[in-house]
mmCIF file of all heavy atoms in Angstrom:
data_model
loop_
_atom_site.group_PDB
_atom_site.id
_atom_site.type_symbol
_atom_site.label_atom_id
_atom_site.label_comp_id
_atom_site.label_asym_id
_atom_site.label_seq_id
_atom_site.Cartn_x
_atom_site.Cartn_y
_atom_site.Cartn_z
ATOM 1 N N GLN A 60 77.152 67.769 189.386
ATOM 2 C CA GLN A 60 77.127 67.216 188.059
ATOM 3 C C GLN A 60 75.621 67.003 187.705
ATOM 4 O O GLN A 60 75.099 67.230 186.574
ATOM 5 C CB GLN A 60 77.920 65.909 187.996
ATOM 6 C CG GLN A 60 77.824 65.242 186.538
ATOM 7 C CD GLN A 60 78.588 66.198 185.541
ATOM 8 O OE1 GLN A 60 79.656 66.776 185.791
ATOM 9 N NE2 GLN A 60 77.901 66.499 184.451
ATOM 10 N N SER A 61 74.801 66.567 188.598
ATOM 11 C CA SER A 61 73.394 66.348 188.393
ATOM 12 C C SER A 61 72.723 67.692 188.039
ATOM 13 O O SER A 61 71.839 67.828 187.139
ATOM 14 C CB SER A 61 72.682 65.866 189.559
ATOM 15 O OG SER A 61 73.126 64.511 189.850
ATOM 16 N N ALA A 62 73.140 68.693 188.681
ATOM 17 C CA ALA A 62 72.567 70.138 188.394
ATOM 18 C C ALA A 62 73.010 70.569 187.024
ATOM 19 O O ALA A 62 72.197 71.086 186.248
ATOM 20 C CB ALA A 62 73.075 71.153 189.443
ATOM 21 N N LYS A 63 74.162 70.311 186.673
ATOM 22 C CA LYS A 63 74.745 70.683 185.405
ATOM 23 C C LYS A 63 73.927 69.822 184.238
ATOM 24 O O LYS A 63 73.526 70.478 183.233
ATOM 25 C CB LYS A 63 76.238 70.317 185.180
ATOM 26 C CG LYS A 63 77.105 71.382 185.813
ATOM 27 C CD LYS A 63 78.579 71.040 185.594
ATOM 28 C CE LYS A 63 79.536 71.896 186.050
ATOM 29 N NZ LYS A 63 80.985 71.606 185.660
ATOM 30 N N ASP A 64 73.753 68.547 184.573
ATOM 31 C CA ASP A 64 73.021 67.714 183.536
ATOM 32 C C ASP A 64 71.531 68.247 183.382
ATOM 33 O O ASP A 64 70.951 68.320 182.284
ATOM 34 C CB ASP A 64 72.996 66.272 184.038
ATOM 35 C CG ASP A 64 74.340 65.639 183.903
ATOM 36 O OD1 ASP A 64 75.356 66.179 183.208
ATOM 37 O OD2 ASP A 64 74.663 64.600 184.541
ATOM 38 N N ALA A 65 70.934 68.627 184.520
ATOM 39 C CA ALA A 65 69.518 69.007 184.430
ATOM 40 C C ALA A 65 69.466 70.410 183.697
ATOM 41 O O ALA A 65 68.483 70.645 182.888
ATOM 42 C CB ALA A 65 68.905 69.129 185.779
ATOM 43 N N THR A 66 70.373 71.230 183.977
ATOM 44 C CA THR A 66 70.464 72.519 183.365
ATOM 45 C C THR A 66 70.620 72.438 181.926
ATOM 46 O O THR A 66 70.035 73.078 181.072
ATOM 47 C CB THR A 66 71.513 73.407 183.923
ATOM 48 O OG1 THR A 66 71.264 73.651 185.428
ATOM 49 C CG2 THR A 66 71.521 74.956 183.208
ATOM 50 N N ARG A 67 71.415 71.451 181.489
ATOM 51 C CA ARG A 67 71.708 71.106 180.047
ATOM 52 C C ARG A 67 70.351 70.691 179.374
ATOM 53 O O ARG A 67 70.072 70.923 178.248
ATOM 54 C CB ARG A 67 72.821 70.073 179.892
ATOM 55 C CG ARG A 67 73.256 69.861 178.489
ATOM 56 C CD ARG A 67 74.532 69.103 178.320
ATOM 57 N NE ARG A 67 75.697 69.651 178.961
ATOM 58 C CZ ARG A 67 76.205 69.153 180.103
ATOM 59 N NH1 ARG A 67 75.696 68.134 180.665
ATOM 60 N NH2 ARG A 67 77.269 69.748 180.699
ATOM 61 N N ARG A 68 69.626 69.830 180.098
ATOM 62 C CA ARG A 68 68.339 69.430 179.579
ATOM 63 C C ARG A 68 67.400 70.498 179.313
ATOM 64 O O ARG A 68 66.718 70.565 178.220
ATOM 65 C CB ARG A 68 67.721 68.405 180.499
ATOM 66 C CG ARG A 68 68.269 66.996 180.426
ATOM 67 C CD ARG A 68 67.434 65.937 181.217
ATOM 68 N NE ARG A 68 68.196 64.752 181.201
ATOM 69 C CZ ARG A 68 68.934 64.237 182.330
ATOM 70 N NH1 ARG A 68 69.082 65.027 183.335
ATOM 71 N NH2 ARG A 68 69.632 63.106 182.261
ATOM 72 N N MET A 69 67.411 71.432 180.325
ATOM 73 C CA MET A 69 66.538 72.580 180.146
ATOM 74 C C MET A 69 67.066 73.514 178.992
ATOM 75 O O MET A 69 66.106 73.909 178.153
ATOM 76 C CB MET A 69 66.680 73.478 181.499
ATOM 77 C CG MET A 69 65.711 74.669 181.329
ATOM 78 S SD MET A 69 65.766 75.769 182.958
ATOM 79 C CE MET A 69 67.366 76.393 182.682
ATOM 80 N N THR A 70 68.278 73.767 178.775
ATOM 81 C CA THR A 70 68.727 74.576 177.767
ATOM 82 C C THR A 70 68.536 73.908 176.373
ATOM 83 O O THR A 70 68.199 74.475 175.343
ATOM 84 C CB THR A 70 70.330 75.034 177.918
ATOM 85 O OG1 THR A 70 71.088 73.856 178.027
ATOM 86 C CG2 THR A 70 70.413 75.943 179.051
ATOM 87 N N ASP A 71 68.629 72.464 176.409
ATOM 88 C CA ASP A 71 68.340 71.755 175.107
ATOM 89 C C ASP A 71 66.760 71.911 174.763
ATOM 90 O O ASP A 71 66.581 72.068 173.547
ATOM 91 C CB ASP A 71 68.663 70.318 175.332
ATOM 92 C CG ASP A 71 70.127 69.965 175.358
ATOM 93 O OD1 ASP A 71 70.961 70.912 175.060
ATOM 94 O OD2 ASP A 71 70.458 68.794 175.640
#
Side-chain angles (χ1 to χ4, degrees):
Q60 188 59 51
S61 294
K63 283 182 173 184
D64 292 344
T66 300
R67 190 171 299 112
R68 283 191 189 99
M69 181 182 72
T70 58
D71 288 350

